[in-house]
Structures are given as C-alpha cells and as structure tokens.
Amino acid sequence: MERNTHRPARAGEWRLGWPVVVAAMIGIGTGPGLFQNLSSLFIAGPVGEFGWTRGDIATAAGLGLLGGLTVPFLGRLADRIGVKAIIILAMLLLGLVYAGMASLTGPLWQYQVLVFGLALTVPGTSAIVYGKLIAQRFEARRGIALGVATSGISISSLALAPVLGIVIAAYGWRAGFVALGLIVALLALPAVLYLLRHERTAPTRPDPDDPAAALPVEGMTGAETRRDTRYWRLGATAALINIASVGLVTSLVPLGTDRGLTPAAAALLVTAFAASQVVGRLVMGALVDRYRPQATAAAFATVSALAFVGLQLPAPGLPLMLTLVFLAGLMNGAEHDLLPYLATRLFGLRAFGELYGLLVMIGLFGTATGITAFGRLYDATGSYGAALAMAAIALALAAVLFLTLRERPLPHVQAHAQPA
C-alpha cells in the first residue's frame, strides 16, 4: 500500500500530536455516545412518570436516529469549511438537547425530536472531525492514537455512570439530563477549543480557487470510493456491530434485573460494558499498528459473538454476566477506532469527512435497528433471548465481512483535480 513519504518520526508524532488526542478524548467522550452508553439509567424515570414501555422508548429512539441521514452532508461540510466550526455547533446543540430532555412533558414525539437532535451532533463529536485531525498528525502510530482518542467515551462512561446514578437517585432523572448538559457546554467545549487552539483545522477539500487546492492529497475521491464495493462492506460491518452492541447496552439494566440482579448490581453491567470499550479501543489500536487489521477485527467480532451466545444462559449470576458483557462489548469498543483507521487506510483523506460521515450514517441505521429490535422483541416474547441470538448472528457476519477487505494503493491527487 502506498504511504506518505514525508511521515513524521514516531517519537515526534506523540510530542506534537498529544493535544489533538486529548481534545478528541474529551469531545468524543462527552458526545451523544455517552448518553447511548448510559441511557439504560434513564429508562425507569420516563416509564414510571409517563407510562411508556421499554418498546416505546426503543422505537422512539430508533425513529429519532433518522437524524443520521444528515451526517454525510455535515461531514462534507467539515471537508469544505474545516472542523472547528462543526465542533462548536455540535457541542452547543448537544447541550440544548439535554436541556430539552430534562423538560419532557410526556408525548413520545418530544423524545423522538430530541433524539433526532442527538444524531445531528454526531459529526462534531466523533471521528468524523477528530479522526481527520489525528490522521494528519499520526501515521506510524495512527491506530493507537485513534484507540486512545476514542477511549474517551469509555472513560467518561466509567466515571459518570455511578455519578449519574447517584444524581438520578437523589434528584430524579431530569437532574441527570441537566448534569449532562452542563458537562458538555461548560466543561468539555472550552477544554476542546483550548487544546485545538494551535491545530491546523483547514479544509481538506477547499474551493477550486483556494490556494490550498493546489496541494496534493492522498486518497480517493468520494465518487471513486462510493463505486468501491469494499466501502459498502465496511459500512455493513458498522451496522451489524451496532445492531448487536448498541441494542445490548441500551437494555443492560433491565436485562440484569430480569435475571434476578438488584438495580445496583445491574448498573455494574454498564460499568463492565464501558470497561470493555476502553480495553477494546486500546488493544485494537495497538494491534492494528502491528498486524493485519482485517484479521484482528474478525477475531474481535468472533469473541463478542460467542459472548452473546453465553448471555442467553437463563441465570448466569453476576460474575459470569459481568464477564460476558465485557466480552460482548469488546467489538463495540474496537469498532470506534477501527472504522476511521480502515477508512483512512483503504480510501485516504481526500474526502474523509463525507465518506466517514456516510459510514457513521450506515452505523446509525444499525443503532436504530438494534435499539428498536431489543425493545420490541422483549415486548413480543417477554425476554431478551431472541434479541441476543440476533446479535450473535450479526457479529458473526461482521467477522466474515472484515476478512474480505483487501488493500490497494492510494492515489495522490490535487484537491481540485477531480470532483468529489
């Protein structure tokens, strides 16, 4: 595979690039994925207050995630105007969404609209923006840099799950949403902007008359990539992984209580899932810098699929459930740095924002499917057995698809040489 001949020395990558990685940890760690990981903490409140069922909440969330349809267009906008403006707008909108959730009055359509708003914040709080910045700074250590950066969501989930549990128990679920909004708008956003103050955030696909348009850019255009079947297979892996893992994490607490755990013990399952995300991201990031990433990804997906099979045991007990949830979540953790890594490795940075945005949109369809399926299958059958079996099959298919992603040399073109 063709590589940039001007790549920096390995030691210099971390010396110059650590502020970007830390900014990404904070930005991704306080993005909508944090609510996704902790959403099961908020189920009991609306169910008790508004009479919603688990299926109602799952379906509303799935419909609201249709906001993911806008992600490729916002990713394309990031290619055009740079990433900093997208980051600011996304984090401010996220704070407003949490304020809206704290003010829910009962109709499900309100929740749907707000989850739609959550999906709109994905481009500015994900690897769509931060993956591009990291890929500009890192090459030899790109995998581990992405792993550390995307571990922010896992670290924040681990740290905030017990804190929000205490806040919700003491002051109610509305106070939990207020706390999330304040964290995003008053703490995370200023920290991210400070860390990126000296970072190059210019467009990678400027207007033709922009002087930057004459600079060479490694990678395929958007049109070329969309004609490549590898791109759609990569997108399918994202959807399949999200069907399984997001469906699980949004149902963890009720799954645990259904298996006889106390609410406090069931909340530990969320912690186990978050811990698996940290391990999955860091281990995957280290391995793909050394070994063939496609085979490594297939191995992770297989381990997680087997864990979903184990979760179908009728009464596994807390220690075994914690272990199985940890293993089931490994692929979800690994996927968040693996997807941008493979996107840059297979297709380059030429139209990264647009193309990775489309991958995220495909993944969000998987998210919506998983959330809805877990909730509705529970309502239909009275257990999570069918949903867990569906998840195991989805991860097995993802493992097969990873093995089909062969690498080819990347072209070097001028930014304005070909249309996107």
Side-chain angles (χ1 to χ4, degrees):
M1 179 177 176
E2 186 176 353
R3 292 293 184 191
N4 188 348
T5 58
H6 302 289
R7 79 181 188 181
R10 292 185 178 186
E13 288 185 340
W14 280 106
R15 180 174 58 83
L16 298 174
W18 71 265
V20 179
V21 175
V22 175
M25 290 180 70
I26 297 171
I28 296 172
T30 55
L34 176 63
F35 173 65
Q36 174 182 287
N37 284 355
L38 303 181
S39 61
S40 60
L41 296 173
F42 292 87
I43 289 178
V47 165
E49 185 167 336
F50 303 135
W52 298 347
T53 68
R54 297 178 194 178
D56 289 335
I57 294 175
T59 302
L63 292 173
L65 283 171
L66 289 175
L69 289 170
T70 66
V71 172
F73 303 102
L74 295 173
R76 185 183 179 92
L77 183 63
D79 289 334
R80 291 288 187 188
I81 68 173
V83 301
K84 189 171 290 187
I86 300 298
I87 289 172
I88 294 171
L89 291 173
M91 296 186 79
L92 290 176
L93 175 59
L94 184 57
L96 292 174
V97 167
Y98 285 138
M101 286 189 169
S103 305
L104 288 168
T105 59
L108 270 173
W109 67 264
Q110 295 177 349
Y111 190 65
Q112 291 173 345
V113 169
L114 291 168
V115 176
F116 184 92
L118 278 177
L120 293 180
T121 69
V122 168
T125 57
S126 70
I128 293 175
V129 290
Y130 295 110
K132 177 184 289 187
L133 295 175
I134 288 170
Q136 291 173 169
R137 283 289 190 185
F138 293 85
E139 183 172 344
R141 296 300 187 202
R142 185 179 295 173
I144 189 62
L146 284 166
V148 173
T150 56
S151 69
I153 186 65
S154 308
I155 294 170
S156 63
S157 298
L158 280 169
L160 292 177
V163 174
L164 282 175
I166 293 171
V167 170
I168 292 170
Y171 303 104
W173 58 274
R174 296 179 189 276
F177 282 122
V178 171
L180 285 174
L182 293 176
I183 289 170
V184 171
L186 300 186
L187 297 178
L189 177 56
V192 167
L193 293 179
Y194 178 79
L195 288 164
L196 296 180
R197 67 193 186 283
H198 300 309
E199 193 60 30
R200 179 167 56 89
T201 58
T204 56
R205 190 170 62 200
D207 292 329
D209 57 352
D210 191 310
L215 299 175
V217 178
E218 182 185 62
M220 300 165 63
T221 66
E224 290 170 340
T225 304
R226 288 189 293 270
R227 290 194 295 268
D228 192 324
T229 60
R230 296 175 303 161
Y231 179 75
W232 300 106
R233 279 176 269 150
L234 181 60
T237 65
L240 290 166
I241 291 166
N242 285 351
I243 286 172
S245 55
V246 180
L248 175 66
V249 73
T250 53
S251 304
L252 273 177
V253 172
L255 172 66
T257 55
D258 286 353
R259 300 296 177 86
L261 300 181
T262 65
L268 292 176
L269 299 178
V270 178
T271 303
F273 190 91
S276 75
Q277 290 184 310
V278 175
V279 174
R281 284 165 167 80
L282 296 180
V283 173
M284 177 63 78
L287 290 177
V288 296
D289 285 333
R290 294 169 174 82
Y291 305 106
R292 185 169 180 264
Q294 294 88 334
T296 305
F300 269 65
T302 301
V303 169
S304 290
L306 292 173
F308 273 96
V309 174
L311 281 171
Q312 296 178 69
L313 294 170
L318 179 59
L320 182 55
M321 279 202 73
L322 289 171
T323 302
L324 290 171
V325 167
F326 177 87
L327 294 175
L330 278 178
M331 189 64 242
N332 178 264
E335 181 246 0
H336 284 275
D337 58 305
L338 180 69
L339 198 63
Y341 181 90
L342 284 174
T344 57
R345 187 177 177 111
L346 297 175
F347 310 112
L349 288 173
R350 167 69 177 88
F352 178 81
E354 175 188 353
L355 296 173
Y356 186 69
L358 182 54
L359 290 176
V360 170
M361 186 192 78
I362 296 170
L364 284 173
F365 278 119
T367 295
T369 301
I371 293 172
T372 303
F374 266 70
R376 288 303 178 188
L377 285 172
Y378 177 87
D379 284 355
T381 65
S383 77
Y384 287 106
L388 293 171
M390 172 197 69
I393 294 170
L395 286 167
L397 290 174
V400 173
L401 288 174
F402 276 125
L403 295 175
T404 70
L405 300 175
R406 300 184 181 275
E407 297 182 36
R408 302 168 189 163
L410 288 175
H412 284 75
V413 297
Q414 288 184 342
H416 69 290
Q418 300 181 52

